[in-house]
Amino acid sequence: MIVRCLEIIHPDGDYPVAEFDGIRVGGVYPVLEMVTDDDHCYIRVLGPDSPDPGLEWDPVSFETVDTRIPPGWTLAIAGGRTRLADARWQRPGFWTDYYRGDPQARADYDHVKSELLAAAPPREN
C-alpha cells in the first residue's frame, strides 16, 4: 500500500508544516502497518529520512495511490485493536521487543522493511 501525504499537522501543536521527520507534503510513501481501535486509527509511514520504525500518522493526512496489500500481511483483532501488517509483526509483544532491542524483533522489522521498500514504486519526492 502506497500513500501520498496531503498535509502535515505538527505533532507538538495544531499548525501545518511542509515536512516533518522525513515526511513531506506531496511525498509518496509505503505504509508499514495500519492500526485501529475505538478511539483512533493510524498508519505507520516510512519516509527516506524518517527514523526507524517509521512514524504513526492519522490517515486523514494521506491519500492512497496504490491499494495493493503487500504479500504476507494479515489482519489481526485482539485487545480491542485491529492491525493490518506483515504476519511477522503480528505476534504479541513485537513492538515492545523491537523497542527493547530484541535481536529477533529487529531482524523481523528490517526484513519486512526491506521487502516493502523493494516492492514500492520510486518515490515522487
Side-chain angles (χ1 to χ4, degrees), residues 37-125:
D37 62 27
D38 287 343
D39 297 326
H40 72 286
C41 175
Y42 72 82
I43 56 176
R44 185 179 302 275
V45 176
L46 184 67
D49 299 319
S50 296
D52 277 326
L55 300 172
E56 298 171 356
W57 295 96
D58 186 331
V60 74
S61 298
F62 295 83
E63 67 180 353
T64 305
V65 297
D66 184 343
T67 61
R68 290 176 289 172
I69 303 298
W73 278 34
T74 59
L75 181 70
I77 300 170
R81 302 179 94 191
T82 302
R83 291 186 65 214
L84 179 62
D86 190 277
R88 290 163 281 193
W89 295 3
Q90 294 285 21
R91 69 171 173 77
F94 170 78
W95 286 112
T96 299
D97 291 346
Y98 172 87
Y99 284 111
R100 288 184 179 159
D102 176 76
Q104 185 61 56
R106 292 290 175 115
D108 288 343
Y109 170 79
D110 289 339
H111 190 78
V112 171
K113 173 185 158 182
S114 295
E115 288 176 353
L116 292 173
L117 292 177
R123 294 191 171 116
E124 300 172 14
N125 290 337

Side-chain angles (χ1 to χ4, degrees), residues 3-60:
V3 294
R4 177 178 294 114
C5 182
L6 302 174
E7 69 176 353
I8 298 172
I9 303 301
H10 196 281
D12 292 333
D14 193 19
Y15 56 93
V17 294
E19 70 180 89
F20 183 84
D21 262 356
I23 303 295
R24 70 175 186 79
V25 173
V28 175
Y29 309 100
V31 174
L32 302 183
E33 73 173 337
M34 175 181 258
V35 179
T36 64
D37 62 27
D38 287 343
D39 297 326
H40 72 286
C41 175
Y42 72 82
I43 56 176
R44 185 179 302 275
V45 176
L46 184 67
D49 299 319
S50 296
D52 277 326
L55 300 172
E56 298 171 356
W57 295 96
D58 186 331
V60 74

